Amino acid sequence: MRATARLVARADRHGRTVLAELRGESPLLLRQVPASGGGVTVYVVGGAAGPLAGDDLRLEVEVGPGAVVDVRTVAASIALPGRPGAVSRMRVRATVAADATLHWLPEQLVAAAGCAHVADAQVDVAEGGTLHWRDELICGRHREAPGNAEVVTRVDLGGRPLLRQSLAVGPDAPGWAGPAVLGGAPATGSLLLVDPTAPAEPAAVRGTVARLPLAGGPATLWTATAPDAHTLRTYLTPTATAFPTDDRIARVG
């Protein structure tokens, strides 16, 4: 299955965000819901199961100057096996203009047994833009070993590289569950916060949660592993991002 979707947001003369374009195809159906504060919230609604191996899905998001967009999904995405030897792909391309805000906060990606999936994101943020970008990966369904999944995230700020991150799990990724990668944890994720108004915070680690300020911009990367999806979400929620309370904090550098 091939599908494309596109979201374009602009700010009107009153400072309210309006959608200049909102279109999609199953299983990438886009639905706007009421939002407060002058921004817009759009949900990606899965119109079919999957992604299945062989699917090629593409989503484009463009946030113009002064616009505020919150993108979410109604449920977790479960990458499933399909045609033998085939790979499913979800490509996201996003641009965030100066004085614009994009919150990309989907539900988790679940790598089901036998899947072969690549999630690939490229985000270009202008100087003065704000970005909250969350990726969460669950390694298999309940009591299930995961299939092959790779999550690739590239973010540029002001035309310069800010983040290059890739994680692969599954039988074709040797050592992915070992101490150098996930340490046996079935849930992992990251939250990138690019915010020109936020105060700088030092690098720190507590338990399985790390806070890393990034060079090249007003940006912080939170990373975490967890025993389940619920715990992971508590670590990677932008409005309440905080360290666990049961381990000592260790500052880095």
Side-chain angles (χ1 to χ4, degrees), residues 163 165 191-193 201-205 209-215 217 219-223 243 252:
L163 177 67
Q165 181 167 269
L191 172 67
L192 174 64
L193 303 177
E201 294 184 284
V205 176
V209 183
R211 180 182 66 213
L212 305 171
L214 300 183
T220 301
L221 179 68
W222 291 79
T223 63
F243 287 109
V252 178

Side-chain angles (χ1 to χ4, degrees), residues 10-246:
R10 301 280 186 260
D12 65 16
R13 60 190 182 91
H14 301 292
R16 295 188 296 263
T17 301
V18 296
L19 294 178
E21 187 174 355
L22 187 70
R23 59 180 174 84
E25 303 171 308
S26 181
L28 294 179
L29 303 176
L30 306 182
R31 298 291 185 264
Q32 183 181 0
V33 300
S36 60
V40 299
T41 298
V42 174
Y43 277 84
V44 181
V45 180
L52 301 173
D55 288 354
D56 188 354
L57 311 177
R58 301 169 185 259
L59 172 60
E60 297 179 0
V61 179
E62 181 181 331
V63 187
V68 177
V69 176
D70 189 347
V71 179
R72 298 175 180 266
T73 58
V74 296
S77 297
I78 303 178
L80 297 169
R83 301 194 313 269
V87 177
S88 59
R89 299 182 185 276
M90 174 66 185
R91 297 180 174 93
V92 180
R93 300 294 181 263
T95 59
V96 183
D99 300 319
T101 298
L102 171 61
H103 296 160
W104 175 267
L105 303 170
E107 295 303 306
Q108 298 89 354
L109 169 64
V110 180
C115 77
H117 182 71
V118 176
D120 182 284
Q122 171 71 52
V123 189
D124 296 301
V125 185
E127 295 285 357
T130 298
L131 174 70
H132 292 178
W133 189 276
R134 184 171 63 205
D135 288 311
E136 295 175 313
L137 176 63
I138 310 301
C139 301
R141 291 168 291 192
H142 183 60
R143 296 184 178 178
E144 176 186 74
N148 292 304
E150 183 178 8
V151 180
V152 180
T153 306
R154 299 179 298 276
V155 180
D156 291 347
L157 177 60
R160 301 181 302 276
L162 176 68
L163 177 67
R164 298 291 186 269
Q165 181 167 269
S166 177
L167 173 66
V169 303
D172 290 347
W176 68 270
V181 188
L182 299 188
T188 185
S190 64
L191 172 67
L192 174 64
L193 303 177
V194 180
D195 188 344
T197 67
E201 294 184 284
V205 176
R206 178 178 284 176
T208 62
V209 183
R211 180 182 66 213
L212 305 171
L214 300 183
T220 301
L221 179 68
W222 291 79
T223 63
T225 60
D228 54 65
H230 174 75
T231 303
L232 182 66
R233 179 60 55 84
T234 65
Y235 296 162
L236 299 178
T237 299
T239 56
T241 300
F243 287 109
T245 58
D246 55 349

